[in-house]
Amino acid sequence: MLRNITKVFSFLIVFLLNHSLVAQSLPLDFESTVTAYNPAGFGNATTLINANPNVDTDNGSATVWNVTKPIGSETWAGASIDLATPIDFSMSNTIKLKFWSDFAGVPVQVKIEDLDSPPDANGNPSVFAEVLISSTIMAGWETMTFDMSTFGAFDPAIEYERIVVFPDFGNTPFINDLPFYFDDFEVDAVVVVNSPVLPIDFESASIDYSPEGFGDVSFGAIPTAIIANPDATGNNTSATVWHISKTDGAQTWAGASMNLAAPIDFSGGNTISINVWSPNVDSPILFKIEDVDSPPDANGNPTVFAEVAVNTTTSNAWETLTFDMSTFGAFDPTIEYEKVV
């Protein structure tokens, strides 16, 4: 009786281990021991997941996808992997992968298919997108990017659930068992970097503030940057601030500017407040806003602007200064001011 129980128990263990294998979605890195990649070759190509033949700084992973074209393979021979979920193109239309070949200039076609679309005459999904580009490196890993939107019928809303690769597409193999290796398939996510709009607190990592200094001793740029708050106390305990350093010999009008993504909205009032830290009491701070689309003056600056000066009242501490732009005669709240200085 004990022997029978042991057999049943062993069967359950094996079943659970096999059942834990899951299909893979992008990104594909071929490193998982619980993923059933199940690559399928076609056109007489062979395919499997095996050890990286060339671990280097461009690809240090242990395991990669091998597609081999023996002599006699079709010119369109390749391999495919079905995905557990559709490819998510919400961030980008570009698929990025790593590729290795013994030769440079290898044409590589990547195809994505909607498995639920009606089959064509060859039994393949009739809804697909495919892009062909050539490699540039011999006997080394390189990153290749395939912009699927360059294929006319591509639609990011379609549920593409199969990825297909055609190495050396269109060519007959001239060496037996010519190997090609693929790794690290992913959608090349675009990091969206926005320009700032008021209010500006300098805390966002996804905003490109790009401050520009001007007016050093040689009429070049004085130092300016977004930095950690050097005195996170009092009126300003935020982590990040805009730093402007007026260097020795700088022009009296030296300062810094920042372009905005959208015009300043004065519908709620004409006053702008700024937290300021200065080493001196009674330092005049001139705040200027510019219409960047207005004709330039002789120095190349916009001719339509408004500017107001307010003096600091404390030293080595944060304080809030308010600038009533309506005190500048030419100020017009309907003008599209898109730069702060």
Side-chain angles (χ1 to χ4, degrees), residues 288-306 330 335-339:
K288 184 179 185 181
I289 52 178
E290 297 177 337
D291 174 5
V292 296
D293 296 321
S294 62
D297 61 18
N299 296 313
N301 300 313
T303 51
V304 176
F305 62 88
I335 290 174
E336 294 188 340
Y337 301 101
E338 293 183 312
K339 179 181 280 187

Side-chain angles (χ1 to χ4, degrees), residues 225-233 236-244 277-278 316-318:
I226 309 303
I227 66 167
N229 187 347
D231 184 14
T233 60
N236 186 16
T237 58
S238 67
T240 315
V241 298
W242 183 9
H243 176 218
I244 304 170
W277 189 103
S278 167
N316 300 315
W318 287 100

Side-chain angles (χ1 to χ4, degrees), residues 236-290:
N236 186 16
T237 58
S238 67
T240 315
V241 298
W242 183 9
H243 176 218
I244 304 170
S245 181
K246 199 167 182 180
T247 49
D248 288 342
Q251 307 298 322
T252 58
W253 41 264
S257 66
M258 188 175 295
N259 291 317
L260 305 176
I264 301 172
D265 180 7
F266 286 107
S267 61
N270 297 325
T271 299
I272 292 176
S273 64
I274 306 173
N275 286 336
V276 175
W277 189 103
S278 167
N280 302 315
V281 177
D282 212 31
S283 285
I285 307 295
L286 181 69
F287 179 70
K288 184 179 185 181
I289 52 178
E290 297 177 337

Side-chain angles (χ1 to χ4, degrees), residues 75-290:
T75 58
W76 42 263
S80 66
I81 289 179
D82 290 352
L83 305 174
T85 57
I87 301 172
D88 180 5
F89 286 108
S90 60
M91 291 294 292
S92 170
N93 295 326
T94 299
I95 291 177
K96 179 170 65 174
L97 60 87
K98 292 177 181 175
F99 177 72
W100 189 98
S101 169
D102 283 311
F103 305 96
V106 175
V108 177
Q109 180 163 281
V110 167
K111 183 179 185 182
I112 51 178
E113 298 177 335
D114 176 6
L115 298 182
D116 296 322
S117 62
D120 62 18
N122 296 313
N124 300 314
S126 55
V127 175
F128 62 88
E130 57 189 12
V131 175
L132 176 70
I133 64 175
S134 292
S135 66
T136 62
I137 294 177
M138 177 177 67
W141 286 101
E142 68 176 300
T143 298
M144 304 179 72
T145 55
F146 298 78
D147 185 352
M148 307 312 295
S149 67
T150 60
F151 185 80
F154 170 76
D155 182 350
I158 290 174
E159 295 190 340
Y160 301 102
E161 293 183 311
R162 174 181 288 164
I163 191 156
V164 192
V165 294
F166 303 83
D168 204 24
F169 181 73
N171 294 326
T172 300
F174 60 93
I175 297 176
N176 197 36
D177 293 334
L178 188 62
F180 303 95
Y181 299 93
F182 297 86
D183 200 9
D184 294 339
F185 288 72
E186 60 182 328
V187 174
D188 190 14
V190 176
V191 177
V192 179
V193 178
N194 302 306
S195 297
V197 294
L198 262 60
I200 303 174
D201 61 9
F202 308 107
E203 302 301 307
S204 175
S206 65
I207 292 179
D208 182 10
Y209 298 101
S210 295
E212 296 182 357
F214 55 84
D216 75 357
V217 65
S218 301
F219 297 93
I222 63 171
T224 183
I226 309 303
I227 66 167
N229 187 347
D231 184 14
T233 60
N235 276 20
N236 186 16
T237 58
S238 67
T240 315
V241 298
W242 183 9
H243 176 218
I244 304 170
S245 181
K246 199 167 182 180
T247 49
D248 288 342
Q251 307 298 322
T252 58
W253 41 264
S257 66
M258 188 175 295
N259 291 317
L260 305 176
I264 301 172
D265 180 7
F266 286 107
S267 61
N270 297 325
T271 299
I272 292 176
S273 64
I274 306 173
N275 286 336
V276 175
W277 189 103
S278 167
N280 302 315
V281 177
D282 212 31
S283 285
I285 307 295
L286 181 69
F287 179 70
K288 184 179 185 181
I289 52 178
E290 297 177 337

